[in-house]
Coordinates of all heavy atoms in Angstrom, one line a residue:
F357 N 7.1 13.2 -7.2 CA 7.1 13.6 -8.6 C 7.7 14.9 -8.8 O 7.3 15.8 -8.0 CB 5.6 13.6 -9.1 CG 5.4 14.0 -10.5 CD1 5.7 13.1 -11.5 CD2 4.9 15.2 -10.8 CE1 5.5 13.5 -12.9 CE2 4.7 15.6 -12.1 CZ 5.0 14.7 -13.2
D358 N 8.6 15.1 -9.7 CA 9.2 16.4 -9.9 C 8.6 17.1 -11.1 O 8.5 16.5 -12.2 CB 10.7 16.2 -10.2 CG 11.5 17.5 -9.9 OD1 11.2 18.5 -10.6 OD2 12.4 17.5 -9.0
M359 N 8.1 18.3 -10.9 CA 7.4 19.1 -11.9 C 8.3 20.0 -12.6 O 7.9 20.8 -13.4 CB 6.3 19.9 -11.2 CG 5.3 19.0 -10.4 SD 4.1 20.0 -9.5 CE 3.2 20.8 -10.7
G360 N 9.6 19.9 -12.4 CA 10.6 20.8 -13.0 C 10.6 20.8 -14.5 O 10.8 21.9 -15.2
D361 N 10.4 19.6 -15.1 CA 10.4 19.5 -16.6 C 9.4 20.4 -17.2 O 9.5 20.9 -18.3 CB 10.3 18.1 -17.0 CG 11.5 17.3 -16.8 OD1 12.6 17.9 -16.5 OD2 11.5 16.0 -16.8
A362 N 8.2 20.6 -16.5 CA 7.2 21.4 -17.1 C 7.6 22.8 -17.3 O 7.2 23.5 -18.2 CB 5.9 21.3 -16.2
F363 N 8.5 23.3 -16.4 CA 9.0 24.7 -16.5 C 9.9 24.8 -17.7 O 9.9 25.8 -18.4 CB 9.7 25.1 -15.2 CG 8.8 25.3 -14.1 CD1 8.5 24.3 -13.1 CD2 8.1 26.5 -13.9 CE1 7.7 24.6 -12.0 CE2 7.3 26.8 -12.8 CZ 7.1 25.8 -11.9
L364 N 10.8 23.8 -17.8 CA 11.7 23.8 -19.0 C 11.0 23.8 -20.3 O 11.4 24.5 -21.2 CB 12.7 22.6 -18.9 CG 13.7 22.7 -17.8 CD1 14.6 21.4 -17.7 CD2 14.7 23.9 -17.9
E365 N 9.9 23.0 -20.3 CA 9.1 22.9 -21.6 C 8.5 24.2 -21.9 O 8.1 24.5 -23.1 CB 8.1 21.8 -21.5 CG 8.7 20.4 -21.4 CD 7.7 19.3 -21.0 OE1 6.5 19.7 -20.8 OE2 8.1 18.2 -20.9
G366 N 8.3 25.1 -20.9 CA 7.6 26.4 -21.1 C 8.5 27.5 -21.5 O 8.1 28.6 -21.9
I367 N 9.8 27.2 -21.5 CA 10.8 28.2 -22.0 C 10.7 28.4 -23.5 O 10.8 27.4 -24.2 CB 12.2 27.9 -21.5 CG1 12.3 27.9 -20.0 CG2 13.2 28.9 -22.1 CD1 13.6 27.5 -19.4
T372 N 17.2 24.1 -24.1 CA 17.2 23.9 -22.6 C 17.6 22.6 -22.2 O 17.6 22.2 -21.0 CB 15.7 24.1 -22.1 OG1 14.9 23.2 -22.7 CG2 15.2 25.5 -22.4
Y375 N 19.9 22.0 -19.1 CA 19.4 22.6 -17.8 C 18.5 21.6 -17.1 O 17.8 20.8 -17.7 CB 18.8 23.9 -18.0 CG 19.6 25.0 -18.6 CD1 19.5 25.3 -20.0 CD2 20.6 25.6 -17.9 CE1 20.3 26.2 -20.6 CE2 21.4 26.6 -18.5 CZ 21.3 26.9 -19.8 OH 22.1 27.8 -20.4
T376 N 18.5 21.7 -15.8 CA 17.5 21.0 -15.0 C 16.9 22.0 -14.0 O 17.5 22.9 -13.5 CB 18.1 19.8 -14.2 OG1 19.1 20.3 -13.4 CG2 18.6 18.8 -15.2
I377 N 15.6 21.8 -13.7 CA 14.9 22.5 -12.7 C 14.2 21.5 -11.8 O 13.5 20.6 -12.3 CB 13.9 23.5 -13.2 CG1 14.6 24.6 -14.0 CG2 13.0 24.1 -12.1 CD1 13.6 25.6 -14.7
S378 N 14.3 21.6 -10.5 CA 13.6 20.7 -9.6 C 12.5 21.4 -8.8 O 12.8 22.5 -8.2 CB 14.6 20.1 -8.6 OG 14.0 19.2 -7.7
M379 N 11.3 20.9 -8.9 CA 10.2 21.4 -8.1 C 9.4 20.2 -7.6 O 8.6 19.6 -8.3 CB 9.3 22.3 -8.9 CG 8.2 22.9 -8.0 SD 7.1 24.0 -8.8 CE 5.8 24.1 -7.6
P380 N 9.7 19.7 -6.4 CA 8.9 18.6 -5.8 C 7.4 18.8 -5.8 O 7.0 20.0 -5.6 CB 9.5 18.4 -4.4 CG 10.8 19.2 -4.4 CD 10.6 20.3 -5.4
S381 N 6.7 17.8 -6.1 CA 5.2 17.9 -6.0 C 4.8 18.2 -4.6 O 5.4 17.8 -3.6 CB 4.6 16.5 -6.4 OG 3.2 16.5 -6.2
G405 N 8.6 25.7 -3.5 CA 9.1 25.1 -4.8 C 9.0 26.1 -5.9 O 9.9 26.2 -6.8
L406 N 7.9 26.9 -5.9 CA 7.8 27.9 -7.0 C 8.9 28.9 -6.9 O 9.4 29.4 -7.9 CB 6.4 28.5 -6.9 CG 5.2 27.7 -7.5 CD1 3.9 28.4 -7.2 CD2 5.4 27.6 -9.0
Q408 N 11.9 28.7 -5.6 CA 13.2 28.1 -6.1 C 13.2 28.0 -7.6 O 14.2 28.3 -8.3 CB 13.4 26.8 -5.4 CG 14.8 26.1 -5.8 CD 16.0 27.0 -5.4 OE1 16.1 27.4 -4.3 NE2 16.8 27.3 -6.4
A409 N 12.0 27.5 -8.2 CA 11.9 27.3 -9.6 C 12.1 28.6 -10.3 O 12.7 28.7 -11.4 CB 10.6 26.6 -10.0
M410 N 11.5 29.7 -9.8 CA 11.6 31.0 -10.4 C 13.1 31.5 -10.4 O 13.5 32.0 -11.4 CB 10.7 32.0 -9.6 CG 9.2 31.8 -9.8 SD 8.7 32.0 -11.5 CE 8.1 30.4 -11.8
D412 N 15.7 29.6 -10.4 CA 16.4 28.8 -11.4 C 16.1 29.2 -12.8 O 17.0 29.3 -13.7 CB 16.0 27.3 -11.3 CG 16.5 26.7 -10.0 OD1 17.4 27.2 -9.4 OD2 16.0 25.6 -9.6
L413 N 14.8 29.6 -13.1 CA 14.4 30.1 -14.4 C 15.1 31.4 -14.8 O 15.5 31.6 -15.9 CB 12.9 30.2 -14.5 CG 12.1 29.0 -14.7 CD1 10.6 29.2 -14.4 CD2 12.2 28.4 -16.1
I416 N 18.6 30.6 -15.9 CA 18.6 29.9 -17.2 C 18.3 30.9 -18.3 O 18.9 30.9 -19.4 CB 17.5 28.8 -17.2 CG1 18.0 27.6 -16.3 CG2 17.3 28.2 -18.6 CD1 16.9 26.6 -16.0
F452 N 5.3 32.8 -16.4 CA 4.9 31.6 -15.7 C 4.0 32.1 -14.5 O 4.4 32.1 -13.4 CB 6.1 30.9 -15.1 CG 7.0 30.2 -16.2 CD1 8.0 30.9 -16.7 CD2 6.8 28.9 -16.6 CE1 8.8 30.4 -17.7 CE2 7.5 28.3 -17.6 CZ 8.6 29.1 -18.1
F454 N 1.2 32.0 -11.9 CA 0.5 31.0 -11.2 C -0.6 31.6 -10.2 O -1.1 31.0 -9.3 CB 1.4 30.1 -10.3 CG 2.2 29.1 -11.1 CD1 3.4 29.4 -11.7 CD2 1.7 27.8 -11.3 CE1 4.1 28.5 -12.4 CE2 2.4 26.9 -12.0 CZ 3.6 27.2 -12.6
G513 N -1.2 15.6 -14.3 CA 0.2 15.5 -14.8 C 0.9 14.4 -14.2 O 2.2 14.5 -14.1

Side-chain angles (χ1 to χ4, degrees):
F357 179 75
D358 200 302
M359 302 171 66
D361 287 347
F363 288 97
L364 288 177
E365 292 169 3
I367 295 177
T372 62
Y375 301 102
T376 59
I377 294 178
S378 179
M379 181 180 169
S381 169
L406 281 173
Q408 182 59 56
M410 290 298 115
D412 293 341
L413 281 167
I416 292 170
F452 294 88
F454 286 87

